[in-house]
Amino acid sequence: MRGFIIALTFFTRIPFPLPKDVSSEEFIKSYRFYPAVGLVLGLLLWLLAKILLPYYPPLVLGALILGAELMLTGGIHLDGFMDSMDGLLSARSPEKILDIMKDSRVGAHASMALVGLLLLKFTLLANLTVSKLPLLIVMPMLSRWVFQIGMIGFPYARSQGLGKGFHEATQWIPFVLSGITVCGISFYLLGFAGPLAFVISSLIISLIAFKISSLLGGLTGDLYGAFIELSEVIILLVAFPFV
């Protein structure tokens, strides 16, 4: 329970008392609870959409849901997505790409990628119907499992960094067990569209991670965040027609 609270307080903006005396080891091991954190985020988004759906037109509802998600997460993973896009889309050498990703300044590539990502997500959210609302629960939960493929399956590109600790702490048994759990919940909420989104998003993120790792010699913490953002959109795209 303590690990879940640590993950919830550090990786969301949900007002919850911060645990005292959190060690670096506890913080790193809290990654196991990321899908549970995603489930909490999803339930909050589902509840908001359930309340607002009868009163607002689709475009307004989509904007409110997207805005609520950004507020709940603080855009923490979008930051990693933007840094990653700035580097990967620069067409530079691997060393230069890593340098660009480390730079906190926002470039043109990051801006273009951000607009494209948010526009696609907004369009999908704006077309949610009552039957499709469970997508809001599955999307953040499943994406916070899928990104762990990059953590456990590929080397870390830098000699140090917060992401390196997460990479070194990942273990296959908890990863597989949590995968079975989130897949089961997805099936319960979405029917066969849940496991379909689980499989396809896992395959696409695995392929992207493989290509990037081959280029850079590994992955980074920014890429972990980028995988969360990308997998959310992939999950929506895959499951949307079948719910």
Side-chain angles (χ1 to χ4, degrees), residues 72 111 146 164:
L72 287 170
S111 300
V146 171
K164 185 175 178 62

Side-chain angles (χ1 to χ4, degrees), residues 7 31 33 59 73 120 125 129 141 166 183 193 197 210 214 226 232 243:
Y31 83 89
F33 297 94
L59 292 178
T73 62
L120 183 54
L125 294 176
T129 60
M141 174 193 68
F166 289 118
C183 187
F210 174 78
S214 299
E232 283 194 346
V243 180

Side-chain angles (χ1 to χ4, degrees), residues 131 134 138 183-198 239 242-243:
S131 64
V138 172
C183 187
I185 296 173
S186 300
F187 176 72
Y188 176 77
L189 293 173
L190 300 178
F192 86 96
L196 182 66
F198 176 91
F242 304 105
V243 180

Side-chain angles (χ1 to χ4, degrees), residues 138-203:
V138 172
M139 175 188 72
M141 174 193 68
L142 186 51
S143 66
R144 282 159 179 78
W145 181 86
V146 171
F147 94 97
Q148 294 182 43
I149 294 171
M151 287 173 53
I152 198 168
F154 299 88
Y156 197 73
R158 302 187 192 276
S159 59
Q160 57 184 359
L162 181 61
K164 185 175 178 62
F166 289 118
H167 167 70
E168 293 175 344
T170 51
Q171 297 178 346
W172 280 103
I173 292 179
F175 172 71
V176 172
L177 291 177
S178 64
I180 294 171
T181 302
V182 299
C183 187
I185 296 173
S186 300
F187 176 72
Y188 176 77
L189 293 173
L190 300 178
F192 86 96
L196 182 66
F198 176 91
V199 171
I200 293 181
S201 61
S202 297
L203 288 174

